[in-house]
PDB file of all heavy atoms in Angstrom:
ATOM      1  N   MET A   1      -7.459   6.359 -16.157  1.00 68.00           N
ATOM      2  CA  MET A   1      -7.030   5.106 -15.557  1.00 68.00           C
ATOM      3  C   MET A   1      -6.643   5.369 -14.107  1.00 68.00           C
ATOM      4  O   MET A   1      -5.875   6.277 -13.811  1.00 68.00           O
ATOM      5  CB  MET A   1      -5.831   4.571 -16.329  1.00 68.00           C
ATOM      6  CG  MET A   1      -5.307   3.285 -15.772  1.00 68.00           C
ATOM      7  SD  MET A   1      -4.117   2.517 -16.854  1.00 68.00           S
ATOM      8  CE  MET A   1      -2.617   2.992 -16.067  1.00 68.00           C
ATOM      9  N   SER A   4      -4.360   1.754  -7.955  1.00 78.00           N
ATOM     10  CA  SER A   4      -4.390   1.775  -6.496  1.00 78.00           C
ATOM     11  C   SER A   4      -3.248   0.908  -5.964  1.00 78.00           C
ATOM     12  O   SER A   4      -3.229  -0.299  -6.195  1.00 78.00           O
ATOM     13  CB  SER A   4      -5.737   1.243  -6.006  1.00 78.00           C
ATOM     14  OG  SER A   4      -5.773   1.241  -4.606  1.00 78.00           O
ATOM     15  N   LEU A   5      -2.299   1.569  -5.299  1.00 78.00           N
ATOM     16  CA  LEU A   5      -1.166   0.860  -4.719  1.00 78.00           C
ATOM     17  C   LEU A   5      -1.139   1.102  -3.216  1.00 78.00           C
ATOM     18  O   LEU A   5      -1.400   2.214  -2.765  1.00 78.00           O
ATOM     19  CB  LEU A   5       0.152   1.374  -5.307  1.00 78.00           C
ATOM     20  CG  LEU A   5       0.420   1.075  -6.761  1.00 78.00           C
ATOM     21  CD1 LEU A   5       1.674   1.807  -7.215  1.00 78.00           C
ATOM     22  CD2 LEU A   5       0.586  -0.406  -6.977  1.00 78.00           C
ATOM     23  N   PHE A   9       3.937  -0.322  -0.218  1.00 87.00           N
ATOM     24  CA  PHE A   9       4.637  -0.696  -1.447  1.00 87.00           C
ATOM     25  C   PHE A   9       5.352   0.511  -2.057  1.00 87.00           C
ATOM     26  O   PHE A   9       6.517   0.428  -2.433  1.00 87.00           O
ATOM     27  CB  PHE A   9       3.658  -1.297  -2.459  1.00 87.00           C
ATOM     28  CG  PHE A   9       4.301  -1.650  -3.766  1.00 87.00           C
ATOM     29  CD1 PHE A   9       5.086  -2.780  -3.875  1.00 87.00           C
ATOM     30  CD2 PHE A   9       4.130  -0.836  -4.868  1.00 87.00           C
ATOM     31  CE1 PHE A   9       5.702  -3.101  -5.086  1.00 87.00           C
ATOM     32  CE2 PHE A   9       4.732  -1.147  -6.069  1.00 87.00           C
ATOM     33  CZ  PHE A   9       5.516  -2.273  -6.179  1.00 87.00           C
ATOM     34  N   GLY A  23      22.797   5.942  -2.480  1.00 93.00           N
ATOM     35  CA  GLY A  23      23.823   5.524  -1.536  1.00 93.00           C
ATOM     36  C   GLY A  23      23.411   5.618  -0.078  1.00 93.00           C
ATOM     37  O   GLY A  23      24.268   5.659   0.796  1.00 93.00           O
ATOM     38  N   VAL A  24      22.103   5.676   0.172  1.00 91.00           N
ATOM     39  CA  VAL A  24      21.621   5.706   1.554  1.00 91.00           C
ATOM     40  C   VAL A  24      21.877   4.329   2.168  1.00 91.00           C
ATOM     41  O   VAL A  24      21.614   3.303   1.558  1.00 91.00           O
ATOM     42  CB  VAL A  24      20.116   6.057   1.592  1.00 91.00           C
ATOM     43  CG1 VAL A  24      19.575   5.955   3.003  1.00 91.00           C
ATOM     44  CG2 VAL A  24      19.878   7.439   1.027  1.00 91.00           C
ATOM     45  N   HIS A  41       2.427   7.103  16.819  1.00 88.00           N
ATOM     46  CA  HIS A  41       1.792   6.769  18.093  1.00 88.00           C
ATOM     47  C   HIS A  41       1.925   7.888  19.123  1.00 88.00           C
ATOM     48  O   HIS A  41       1.770   7.660  20.317  1.00 88.00           O
ATOM     49  CB  HIS A  41       2.389   5.482  18.654  1.00 88.00           C
ATOM     50  CG  HIS A  41       1.943   4.267  17.919  1.00 88.00           C
ATOM     51  ND1 HIS A  41       2.378   3.971  16.650  1.00 88.00           N
ATOM     52  CD2 HIS A  41       1.086   3.290  18.248  1.00 88.00           C
ATOM     53  CE1 HIS A  41       1.812   2.855  16.251  1.00 88.00           C
ATOM     54  NE2 HIS A  41       1.019   2.420  17.202  1.00 88.00           N
ATOM     55  N   SER A  50      -4.061  14.713   9.186  1.00 90.00           N
ATOM     56  CA  SER A  50      -4.791  15.814   8.570  1.00 90.00           C
ATOM     57  C   SER A  50      -3.962  16.462   7.461  1.00 90.00           C
ATOM     58  O   SER A  50      -4.472  16.733   6.367  1.00 90.00           O
ATOM     59  CB  SER A  50      -5.158  16.855   9.624  1.00 90.00           C
ATOM     60  OG  SER A  50      -5.723  17.984   9.023  1.00 90.00           O
ATOM     61  N   GLY A  51      -2.705  16.695   7.731  1.00 88.00           N
ATOM     62  CA  GLY A  51      -1.831  17.289   6.726  1.00 88.00           C
ATOM     63  C   GLY A  51      -1.640  16.394   5.518  1.00 88.00           C
ATOM     64  O   GLY A  51      -1.622  16.861   4.372  1.00 88.00           O
ATOM     65  N   THR A  54      -4.894  16.457   3.453  1.00 88.00           N
ATOM     66  CA  THR A  54      -5.003  17.718   2.729  1.00 88.00           C
ATOM     67  C   THR A  54      -4.056  17.735   1.536  1.00 88.00           C
ATOM     68  O   THR A  54      -4.432  18.167   0.445  1.00 88.00           O
ATOM     69  CB  THR A  54      -4.708  18.900   3.670  1.00 88.00           C
ATOM     70  OG1 THR A  54      -5.614  18.857   4.769  1.00 88.00           O
ATOM     71  CG2 THR A  54      -4.833  20.221   2.946  1.00 88.00           C
TER      72      THR A  54
END
Side-chain angles (χ1 to χ4, degrees):
M1 179 169 100
S4 179
L5 292 173
F9 178 76
V24 174
H41 287 72
S50 173
T54 302

